[in-house]
Amino acid sequence: MPSEFFNTSEVLEAILETIDEGIHVIDPKGQTIFYNRVAANHDGMKRSEVLGKPLLEAFPSLNHKSSTLLRVIKSEKPIYNYSQSYVNAHGRIIETLNTTLPIYVDGFMIGAIEIAKDYSSLKQLSERLADLESSLKTIKSPERKTTGNGALYSFTEILTCDKGFKGLISQGKKAARSTSSVLVYGESGVGKELFVQSIHQESSRSKEPFIAQNCAALPESLLESLLFGTAKGSYTGAVERQGLFELANGGTLLLDELQSMPIDLQAKLLRVLEDGFIRRIGGTKSVQVNVRIMAAMNIDPKKAVSENRLRPDLFYRLNVLSYELPPLRERIDDIELLSEHFISIFNSKLGLSIKGMDKKTKDFFRKYHWPGNVRELKHTIEFMMNHTENDVLNLEDLPQFLKKPNPSEKILPLREAMIEMETKLITEALLQTNGNVFQASKLLQIPRQTLQYKIKKHI
């Protein structure tokens, strides 16, 4: 159809309807002028119950202070990543994560738009996980591996023949005798959690809980309530619930990807490190906890400080015992050692009897840079063993993106070559992030939705 038949407002409305996030727009008087299907699904409302109606009529549990849309209309300032809990007109509790922005035309504010994500199910999942952690804490057994403390690994399971890495293990064993906080950093897949679990298992806290939380996995408000717990009535539907600090009492709490924790929340973490007291969200009583904090980062902490992703005072507080784990490409001799180990593991899991790798494959492994480190090596071995027809792994068994192009082959058309390169980069990013699409999109510096589309199209 010729472009002149399209109405600009109709096109814009069609675009907003296809976005997989809730879009709610009000005018300066607080009346809804746009409300897409996703927003209606989030809110448990019919569009006819909201469109054209005053906001507080459609959502009577809100007021001018608790509604992010009305706050933006009044202040004319944006609100980013704010969690909101409210009751819809049918009595159902709704929880969303909102970014709310004023809309300007020719310098005049004509309304406010809210982009909302529904995280009710995510919150319920996190609370169930917290309940599970609590139940695991009560399990008792004389055997370390079955205490239910949450730690699976010890230093004996860190395989290396690298002199430098052996030195780090020796330092880690000394750290186990201490109660000081620990900071471990290194590229994705080098074994940071394995290292800190080993410190925990070697320490006097080994029979107590080991709890790990990825700071990049949750929005700020949800992460805060998960860490500190909630008091009854702190928000609509809130109940008394222990946070991870209380659940880890007596043991160890690992905060992975610490640089992703919001700066304001880092300040609260610093206070816990200084005085050992926490206060539940919405509570008035402080509770003392005895938790050893360990932090892991996949970038250099000094770089994180310079980029304002890590508070300097928190860095100095954690930097008492810090360890940089080397990437696999700097531990060349470990590549064959770990390959043999993974072949043994997958022989057992898959019921195979692979004898090893041929020389060309060993040479290739030694020269490859392994951006995903040990995790990528493990996944590569698993792929090869699932596809091989031989009893010795060879270059033909490699995943397609690792295979070297043959110079004698016909040059690919540019479009095909670009798709092949794009597929390789996406696969490597997914390997590095252990399949986490959001983290992979950050590595590739493209929107998450774009990456999901490309995965469906090419992989």
Side-chain angles (χ1 to χ4, degrees), residues 13 17 24-25 31-36 46-54 58:
E13 185 171 339
E17 281 295 343
H24 192 165
V25 183
Q31 186 165 303
T32 297
I33 57 176
F34 183 83
Y35 189 65
N36 73 351
K46 295 178 181 177
R47 296 176 72 182
S48 60
E49 296 175 310
V50 179
L51 267 172
K53 306 286 176 62

Side-chain angles (χ1 to χ4, degrees), residues 122-364:
L122 180 59
K123 184 164 188 175
Q124 291 169 4
L125 175 60
S126 72
E127 290 177 347
R128 287 199 295 270
L129 287 172
D131 290 339
L132 178 60
E133 296 279 12
S134 181
S135 64
L136 286 174
K137 184 179 177 182
T138 64
I139 301 172
K140 300 294 180 184
S141 167
E143 296 296 327
R144 251 185 209 179
K145 285 285 186 177
T146 55
T147 56
N149 69 355
L152 300 173
Y153 303 105
S154 63
F155 283 117
T156 57
E157 292 164 278
I158 300 180
L159 301 181
T160 183
C161 55
D162 181 79
K163 184 178 179 181
F165 204 18
K166 284 182 177 180
L168 281 175
I169 291 172
S170 177
Q171 292 177 34
K173 290 179 178 179
K174 292 176 182 176
R177 302 198 293 263
S178 170
T179 58
S180 299
S181 301
V182 172
L183 175 62
V184 178
Y185 61 100
E187 295 178 7
S188 178
V190 294
K192 296 184 291 293
E193 184 167 346
L194 188 153
F195 191 82
V196 295
Q197 282 194 23
S198 299
I199 293 176
H200 172 84
Q201 290 285 55
E202 193 89 3
S203 75
S204 59
R205 298 171 181 258
S206 61
K207 300 293 178 65
E208 300 301 329
F210 176 93
I211 298 175
Q213 175 60 45
N214 189 310
C215 297
L218 300 171
E220 178 178 0
S221 57
L222 187 51
L223 178 61
E224 183 178 8
S225 62
L226 187 62
L227 290 174
F228 292 92
T230 55
K232 187 175 182 179
S234 56
Y235 57 84
T236 306
V239 298
E240 289 287 340
R241 186 178 298 278
Q242 288 182 313
L244 296 185
F245 280 109
E246 290 179 78
L247 294 173
N249 196 26
T252 302
L253 177 61
L254 168 64
L255 299 173
D256 197 9
E257 295 197 53
L258 180 66
Q259 76 280 0
S260 297
M261 178 183 286
I263 292 293
D264 289 345
L265 195 50
Q266 289 182 27
K268 294 187 177 183
L269 172 61
L270 182 62
R271 286 199 294 273
V272 178
L273 286 166
E274 294 292 351
D275 59 28
F277 283 90
I278 62 105
R279 183 182 297 173
R280 293 183 185 177
I281 306 302
T284 57
K285 185 176 65 175
S286 293
V287 179
Q288 189 168 22
V289 290
N290 173 22
V291 179
R292 187 178 192 185
I293 303 296
M294 297 192 189
M297 299 174 61
N298 55 19
I299 67 171
D300 189 307
K302 292 181 181 178
K303 181 182 180 185
V305 170
S306 69
E307 295 176 350
N308 297 317
R309 298 168 67 185
L310 181 67
R311 288 177 62 104
D313 47 4
L314 180 57
F315 167 61
Y316 296 130
R317 183 64 178 79
L318 289 170
N319 201 40
V320 179
L321 296 173
S322 65
Y323 306 96
E324 181 181 10
L325 302 192
L328 186 58
R329 60 184 170 274
E330 293 179 9
R331 299 158 46 196
I332 297 296
D333 292 335
D334 281 352
I335 294 173
E336 187 170 343
L337 174 69
L338 290 167
S339 297
E340 291 173 354
H341 172 67
F342 293 139
I343 288 172
S344 175
I345 287 176
F346 290 118
N347 269 335
S348 177
K349 278 188 177 182
L350 303 174
L352 301 173
S353 54
I354 302 299
K355 296 175 183 177
M357 304 182 294
D358 65 15
K359 186 178 183 304
K360 288 184 178 180
T361 305
K362 290 178 182 178
D363 290 342
F364 174 82

